[in-house]
Amino acid sequence: MAFLRALIGAVRSARHTPRSAAGLVPDDDVLLDAPDERLAPALVAAALADPEPAAKLLATTRDAAEWEDRDRYVTRLATFAYSRGDWLAHWLAAAPHDPDALLVSTQLAVRRAWESPARAERLRELDPLIRTVTEEAPHDPVPWRLALDHARGEHAGHAVFETLWEQAVRRSPHHYGSHVAALKYLSAQWYGSHRAAFDFAEQAADDAAPDSLVRALPVRAAYDRLRSLPRPDRSAAAARLDGAADRALALSAAFPAGDPWPAEVRNLLAYVLVERARWTDALDEFRRIGPHATSFPWGAPRGAVQEDPLRRFLAVRDLVRAESAGRTPLWRPGYGRAGRGGPGGH
């Protein structure tokens, strides 16, 4: 019987894999952390040591209160400056008090401090810089999101963190980056618990606007939970894990397939769906992702092994395609074995 099931599974995979591949972009077309059409020119110019497009981009997001875009662009520009910082040095030299240049350089400094073996000490040295960028941001939540990340690494107590959180949400009540920072603080890995993280994420999702990425915050809590749970112990948390995935599926379906805006949320959702063995939902989500693979979560270390995020994305996508094909019924209702409509077809 086991041999028969294996044979049938092989036939199903062979018959349905081409169909299951429909809507998936070819491997060679998948890009890792591809910038959107606004950020790309700024990164190209930065590679040529020209900070002006980046300065204009961030000034536009500040003036237009495009806080979600602004947060992404600050993070991506700081990541670029991590290995190629000439353009940022030129910008700071030409405009040492530019709030956007200071914000990018502070994001970069916090990242470097986080990577130091003396993390808490290095972060404490940045206290004056954090105060400067927050005090000069009367409406901008992004410096306060950065302050939340800084406080977590500095081992700030609950009262300090809550004060920073209040400042962030006062400026933008549904800012996704600030919510992610708070969720990390409340996680079991840091100063909370899995229950506290889920409670916070679910309440925030309930309160968020229908198209807000905060609606997908529970799937980040699910990701943390899955990474901490051995597979045999996951059944106890199944309802909450699947509920988080269902919320994120509803949000993802509201955006066009291939849209770069929800790409990281979609990649995270695909990861959770795969861990829950929800193969059909995962395949649909990979179709929605299109060419937009993201380093998070695929680049997260597994034990002592640092993953190649793009390679892992493609490998998992192949697994999902094969698993989905292997579970497709060999003969669907209404279809005869010899063709449509029963023996002999039409």
Side-chain angles (χ1 to χ4, degrees):
M1 184 64 70
F3 178 63
L4 177 59
R5 284 197 297 268
L7 288 178
I8 291 175
V11 174
R12 285 173 175 165
S13 295
R15 179 172 294 183
H16 296 296
T17 293
R19 181 184 297 131
S20 69
L24 295 177
V25 302
D27 287 4
D28 289 345
D29 292 341
V30 177
L31 302 173
L32 184 68
D33 300 328
D36 64 22
E37 70 279 0
R38 299 174 72 190
L39 179 61
L43 292 176
V44 171
L48 301 173
D50 178 9
E52 185 174 355
K56 288 182 177 179
L57 175 62
L58 291 185
T60 297
T61 61
R62 176 163 39 87
D63 293 342
E66 297 173 337
W67 305 131
E68 301 291 1
D69 280 336
R70 179 173 175 78
D71 202 354
R72 293 178 186 221
Y73 297 156
V74 165
T75 302
R76 290 295 302 276
L77 288 166
T79 298
F80 189 81
Y82 184 84
S83 55
R84 303 186 66 171
D86 289 352
W87 64 278
L88 181 56
H90 294 162
W91 187 4
L92 288 166
H97 302 295
D98 185 300
D100 300 324
L102 287 173
L103 186 55
V104 174
S105 63
T106 304
Q107 176 75 58
L108 176 59
V110 168
R111 173 179 171 173
R112 287 177 169 157
W114 263 92
E115 294 177 354
S116 169
R119 176 194 297 162
E121 181 181 350
R122 289 284 307 278
L123 285 169
R124 277 192 291 274
E125 293 171 358
L126 298 179
D127 283 353
L129 193 55
I130 294 293
R131 282 196 298 271
T132 297
V133 295
T134 53
E135 288 171 358
E136 295 183 2
H139 308 294
D140 184 357
V142 179
W144 294 94
R145 185 275 301 160
L146 185 54
L148 291 169
D149 288 337
H150 173 264
R152 175 166 54 92
E154 203 179 18
H155 305 299
H158 289 358
V160 171
F161 196 89
E162 184 177 351
T163 298
L164 297 173
W165 167 251
E166 289 174 352
Q167 292 292 332
V169 297
R170 183 182 301 170
R171 286 157 175 80
S172 181
H174 305 298
H175 179 234
Y176 180 65
S178 296
H179 280 77
V180 170
L183 183 65
K184 290 177 180 177
Y185 186 88
L186 290 169
S187 70
Q189 181 183 357
W190 289 95
Y191 308 110
S193 65
H194 292 301
R195 175 174 292 181
F198 263 117
D199 288 347
F200 171 78
E202 290 168 354
Q203 185 61 62
D206 288 342
D207 294 341
D211 61 345
S212 170
L213 295 183
V214 174
R215 289 273 183 175
L217 200 64
V219 89
R220 287 195 73 117
Y223 167 81
D224 288 340
R225 188 72 174 125
L226 284 165
R227 283 179 62 85
S228 70
L229 275 175
R231 288 189 181 275
D233 297 338
R234 291 180 179 181
S235 58
R240 223 163 189 185
L241 295 169
D242 286 329
D246 291 340
R247 283 178 183 258
L249 279 167
L251 177 69
S252 177
F255 294 96
D259 187 343
W261 171 251
E264 185 176 273
V265 163
R266 282 174 165 166
N267 278 259
L268 182 61
L269 171 57
Y271 179 102
V272 170
L273 291 168
V274 169
E275 290 294 311
R276 296 296 301 144
R278 293 174 57 172
W279 305 111
T280 300
D281 287 336
L283 183 63
D284 288 342
E285 202 56 34
F286 276 111
R287 290 187 177 115
R288 293 189 185 106
I289 289 168
H292 296 290
T294 57
S295 292
F296 177 77
W298 308 111
R302 289 196 289 180
V305 178
Q306 181 66 46
E307 295 284 347
D308 177 327
L310 183 55
R311 179 178 298 177
R312 188 177 180 200
F313 172 92
L314 295 174
V316 172
R317 195 178 69 159
D318 283 344
L319 170 67
V320 169
R321 180 164 43 196
E323 290 285 354
S324 180
R327 284 163 172 75
T328 303
L330 191 56
W331 294 287
R332 295 185 176 184
Y335 286 75
R337 298 187 182 188
R340 288 175 178 259
H346 289 294

